[in-house]
Amino acid sequence: MKDNETKVIRTHPNRSEFREHSTPLYLTSSFTFETAEQGRALFADELEGNIYSRFSNPNTSEFIDKMCLLEGAEDGFAFATGMSAVFSGFGAILQSGDHILASRSVFGSSHQLLTKILSKWGITHTYADAARPEEWEALIQPNTKLIFIETPSNPQLELIDLEWLGNLKKKHNLILSVDNCFATPYLQTPIEYGADLIIHSATKFIDGQGRVLGGVIVGRQDLIDEIRFFARHTGPALSPFNAWVLSKSLETLPVRMDRHCQSALTLAQFLDNHSELESVLYPFLPSHPQYELAKKQMKQGGGIVTFVVKGGYARAHQFMDALQIASKTANLGDTRTTVTHPASTTHSKLTDAERAAVGISDGLIRISVGLENVNDLIADIDQALAATQA
């Protein structure tokens, strides 16, 4: 088998005496030792094997193995949520006095980590604008250790040239950490361009049905070793049940993402130049300012479309309330189309100036395009825009 998508479907731990076709659930907090000596050897890392589900479990291992296959990574660790993965990716590697260079457009909770939490421990950061790559190198400081980015970003769908950034981090001997949540490993594999760590909120497209929480980091073996040590002793573990769900979800990821992307592009094309919108953003829409870059480093444009309604904050809320199909929720990557207003939800803790700096206006709407019939989605959005005309 050469294709990783095939390998992911066929990846299975050793079958038990019951010869199960689908991996069973290992709902156990701990694992027994055949002898006291085996327990000693396992704790001494002389033997490989499961000890305690806080840091090892067959279901979690299968999920990690599949993610490593898809991303082309050496190893990984799975977490209870995407944000626990983001935090552990910082906490395991950085120490007081270190500096992070981060893309300005990041998820709201990642922004809070950088500005309100890491700063308490003497870890500083500088934001760089994706639209001004010529300025990034000058922002690298003597104590810069890590570059952290999202591409495409949440919610503005800004892209960063991964090939260029991989060369920059290599030149300065830095660690490059990429939040690949929006693209998924089916559409984009940053390790090909020199990324060292890849982070996912598996709650999103990896699960794909809005069922469970989860996160994962995959990447360089030496860095994952540090992350595993940190996570083992701080406890942000993914549950075996959620790992089992996510592992099964990966088997349908390519099929789902193809449909998400096809429908999102169709919707974006319909909305482009709509009389009730100020702007529309979608990476594979020719009007996107980084369309050529998207075509270069992404297989398809993803399942997220953002647009700005005329009329600002009030119109945005009225539009959302007028929708009949899309669910109003902060989650994304679901089989069901979801809609959110970032300025009053996911990015509400940013100041007005911080939101303006990353292009989050009061009229911005983020649509996560689901697997419904795209014509039904278009009709629903069109009627909501018509119903809320000024």
Side-chain angles (χ1 to χ4, degrees):
M1 293 184 291
K2 294 183 178 180
D3 190 281
N4 282 342
E5 294 165 23
T6 300
K7 290 179 182 177
V8 164
I9 292 174
R10 304 310 305 189
T11 294
H12 193 297
N14 293 329
R15 288 178 173 83
S16 74
E17 61 185 287
F18 300 108
R19 305 181 308 282
E20 65 278 351
H21 188 224
S22 182
T23 302
L25 278 163
Y26 292 89
L27 297 182
T28 178
S29 58
S30 64
F31 299 83
T32 59
F33 313 127
E34 296 296 327
T35 64
E37 171 58 21
Q38 184 190 42
R40 183 207 65 79
L42 284 166
F43 269 88
D45 295 324
E46 295 171 6
L47 290 178
E48 289 188 4
N50 296 299
I51 298 173
Y52 194 62
S53 287
R54 171 159 47 83
F55 49 91
S56 63
N57 179 283
N59 293 126
T60 307
S61 296
E62 180 184 296
F63 171 56
I64 293 168
D65 288 346
K66 288 181 175 182
M67 287 299 300
C68 287
L69 271 173
L70 289 174
E71 289 282 11
E74 295 174 351
D75 199 0
F77 196 89
F79 298 86
T81 68
M83 283 313 304
S84 63
V86 173
F87 174 69
S88 296
F90 291 141
I93 292 166
L94 301 173
Q95 57 187 350
S96 181
D98 285 340
H99 174 259
I100 303 166
L101 179 61
S103 54
R104 187 179 300 279
S105 186
V106 294
F107 179 54
S109 291
S110 297
H111 172 76
Q112 297 294 337
L113 266 182
L114 291 167
T115 59
K116 302 287 174 50
I117 297 177
L118 296 181
S119 60
K120 295 192 297 184
W121 299 319
I123 298 170
T124 59
H125 75 282
T126 301
Y127 279 137
D129 291 318
R132 298 186 179 92
E134 69 280 359
E135 297 178 0
W136 283 53
E137 189 163 19
L139 298 174
I140 296 173
Q141 302 177 12
N143 60 332
T144 302
K145 188 171 184 179
L146 181 141
I147 299 175
F148 175 71
I149 68 164
E150 296 176 11
T151 180
S153 68
N154 181 6
Q156 268 296 78
L157 303 178
E158 287 187 317
L159 276 67
I160 295 172
D161 189 327
L162 289 168
E163 182 178 16
W164 160 79
L165 193 57
N167 290 331
L168 182 66
K169 77 95 188 183
K170 185 177 181 180
K171 177 180 177 181
H172 292 273
N173 193 29
L174 302 175
I175 297 167
L176 175 56
S177 178
V178 179
D179 185 328
N180 202 28
C181 177
F182 270 27
T184 80
Y186 180 62
L187 303 181
Q188 176 176 273
T189 47
I191 285 175
E192 292 181 17
Y193 301 98
D196 301 293
L197 294 172
I198 310 299
I199 302 175
H200 288 276
S201 170
T203 310
K204 311 303 191 294
F205 289 107
I206 300 301
D207 173 30
Q209 297 182 59
R211 299 168 296 186
V212 299
L213 299 175
V216 65
I217 303 180
V218 299
R220 259 172 47 192
Q221 185 67 63
D222 61 324
L223 297 176
I224 296 299
D225 287 344
E226 293 186 50
I227 290 167
R228 178 177 290 106
F229 176 85
F230 180 88
R232 174 171 177 162
H233 298 291
T234 55
L238 179 65
S239 73
F241 178 78
N242 286 11
W244 180 84
V245 171
L246 294 169
S247 183
K248 297 302 293 181
S249 296
L250 284 176
E251 298 178 11
T252 63
L253 178 66
V255 177
R256 290 185 285 107
M257 290 309 299
D258 280 340
R259 177 64 175 262
H260 284 303
C261 294
Q262 291 163 9
S263 294
L265 177 58
T266 300
L267 174 61
Q269 290 169 335
F270 169 79
L271 295 174
D272 203 21
N273 298 315
H274 194 290
S275 61
E276 292 302 309
L277 303 180
E278 293 181 4
S279 61
V280 178
L281 282 173
Y282 182 70
F284 268 40
L285 201 62
S287 59
H288 191 286
Q290 296 164 304
Y291 171 71
E292 294 299 331
L293 176 59
K295 299 281 281 189
K296 170 188 170 184
Q297 65 189 32
M298 295 178 67
K299 183 177 179 180
Q300 299 180 70
I304 308 296
V305 178
T306 65
F307 52 85
V308 178
V309 296
K310 293 179 179 178
Y313 193 105
R315 172 78 181 284
H317 278 210
Q318 291 166 4
F319 163 78
M320 290 176 61
D321 289 343
L323 290 169
Q324 298 172 2
I325 295 177
S327 304
K328 292 182 283 293
T329 176
N331 195 29
L332 59 92
D334 203 310
T335 53
R336 293 157 292 189
T337 295
T338 65
V339 58
T340 193
H341 179 241
S344 60
T345 57
T346 57
H347 292 72
S348 59
K349 297 298 186 293
L350 277 67
T351 65
D352 291 344
E354 288 170 338
R355 284 195 295 273
V358 292
I360 300 176
S361 67
D362 285 347
L364 182 73
I365 297 290
R366 187 191 72 193
I367 297 277
S368 175
V369 181
L371 304 185
E372 305 95 339
N373 185 292
V374 68
N375 293 321
D376 290 336
L377 298 178
I378 289 172
D380 187 28
I381 291 171
D382 196 35
Q383 67 81 23
L385 288 170
T388 57
Q389 284 180 329

